[in-house]
Amino acid sequence: MGHHSCCNQQKVKRGLWSPEEDEKLIRYITTHGYGCWSEVPEKAGLQRCGKSCRLRWINYLRPDIRRGRFTAEEEKLIISLHAIVGNRWAHIASHLPGRTDNEIKNYWNSWIKKKIRKPPAASTTTSSSAKTSPNNPPSAACSTATSDHVVHGAHGHHQLHHHQTSFGVTAAGADHLQLDAIINQNLGLASLPPKLACGGDSPPLSTGLPHQCPLFMFDTGAAVSPPSSLIMTSTTQMHHHHPLIASFTAAMADVDAPSYLPPLVDGMLGSLRCAMDCVGEDDDVTTDHCQAAVPAGAMAFYGDHDHHQKQQQHLQQQLEQQLGQHDEQWDDDEAQHLLMWDQEVLTSSNLEAMQSGAHSLLFMGPNDHD
DNA sequence: AACATTCTCAACCGCGGTGAT
DNA sequence: TATCACCGCGGTTGAGAATGT
């Protein structure tokens, strides 16, 4: 194992930090700040590299660090955010004040490890045999899969696979979407068709998890064929009590701070502004109508949108053609809640343009801001 | 009690992005 | 434009703690 390029010097200490070292670092940072980490070790009298000092400060010594177990709300937020941004721990951590990316990453990895270790047969049994140590996330401890399906994104199609492989096999070469699928399975979601996985007719879960699934995400394309991902947000089961709402309402209120938003929607700020304007202008649309929010920072707006019915029907056909490579019937009630990408009127041609030009498509609930 | 196994989490590594020169 | 140094991030490791046998 080599050393950092910044710490090739002799006498650079490695390994666990001693209380004395911590004290030196804290004293230095609190009096001088940390403008240049490479200078910190020398000025603080530490035989560490700057990188190590930075890590120690950020992950452990920061005064605003929040330690202790993750709350249920934090867990839900992590799950939802991970479904959107994947292993972008720093992004996820930015939504959890006082938590570090390292902490979240460790938490997630240990959780996933537990899931992978579970034999497939266990997924059809009750959770009574699951370890219920306080270390286990509730959602993991109560993960009684109700499905034998795993959703994979592959080569332009989303597919349902009967669960014939162990989690270990599935996860071994998996990207985060596959892991999501595993998780979703364990949340009892994957038994539904992907496009309806969050649908209003999904039965309440008996897992103790909120029965309103905030979102469902699946990969529809190979890397060379955008969109690389689609996020389907349910409407009927989302409501404003979801913990994500508060988080992203705050984000919406500060759309000039794009760094707050995950990159997935960095390019969507125009749409979001438009959506916010819509809320402001339409008296019939209250915050209670902003029933859905996904971690990507999008919102679904509810309201009277009869005049969009034809557009939606047309969109439905398009989606059925382009997305519906499987047998399930499109649910009209669900279709009611599918729209819409920008302030543009949706046509088959601009839908195609959207799909060819966008890295990701985010379908939100119907709005009527045109 | 002793040993084995599993879990937790702090720390390290290497890569990519960015800004200065 | 190329190079370099630095920073931040995600992946990984490994020591110690906790738990199981």
Side-chain angles (χ1 to χ4, degrees), chain A residues 292-309:
Chain A
V294 297
M299 283 184 148
F301 294 91
Y302 284 32
D304 183 5
H305 42 76
D306 287 341
H307 58 287
H308 276 161
Q309 199 163 9

Side-chain angles (χ1 to χ4, degrees), chain A residues 332-352:
Chain A
D332 284 344
D333 288 336
E334 292 297 326
Q336 286 288 317
H337 302 291
L338 280 178
L339 217 54
M340 125 160 250
W341 169 257
D342 205 334
Q343 66 269 38
E344 286 181 274
V345 173
L346 275 177
T347 66
S348 57
S349 61
N350 66 23
L351 176 64
E352 189 179 338

